[in-house]
Amino acid sequence: LFRKKEAYEMAKYDLNKAIQLDDKCGMAYLNRGLINLQLKKKKLAYDDFLHAYYLGEENAESVIKEYCPARYKKLIQKKNK
């Protein structure tokens, strides 16, 4: 279990570096969100998913819908106003 968490932390570190180099890369935010979800950091995960969504990452909406259904409903309501 420790090694798995350590691997996620290393991947997150790499994604943080990628985001520092290109903060418009929606895929990096989406992947970091998935890692945060695995690390049980749901708020950070959602924030990354939302950032990816607003950057136009095509898979972000479906990821939010799957992993954050309550927040997805609010996002859709806001989108439809």
Side-chain angles (χ1 to χ4, degrees), residues 32-44:
R32 188 174 72 178
L34 292 169
I35 288 171
N36 278 324
L37 202 61
Q38 292 297 318
L39 294 171
K40 309 284 190 243
K41 297 178 180 181
K42 292 182 181 181
K43 171 73 169 93
L44 291 176

Side-chain angles (χ1 to χ4, degrees), residues 22-77:
D22 181 6
D23 66 350
K24 304 289 185 230
C25 181
M27 183 58 77
Y29 284 98
L30 191 65
N31 286 327
R32 188 174 72 178
L34 292 169
I35 288 171
N36 278 324
L37 202 61
Q38 292 297 318
L39 294 171
K40 309 284 190 243
K41 297 178 180 181
K42 292 182 181 181
K43 171 73 169 93
L44 291 176
Y46 177 72
D47 290 346
D48 281 340
F49 296 155
L50 194 59
H51 203 106
Y53 174 80
Y54 286 124
L55 286 172
E57 179 56 45
E58 64 184 64
N59 296 319
E61 187 173 340
S62 63
V63 170
I64 294 169
K65 185 177 182 180
E66 181 175 347
Y67 295 110
C68 311
R71 292 181 182 218
Y72 175 75
K73 288 178 186 177
K74 289 179 184 178
L75 179 66
I76 294 305
Q77 288 172 350

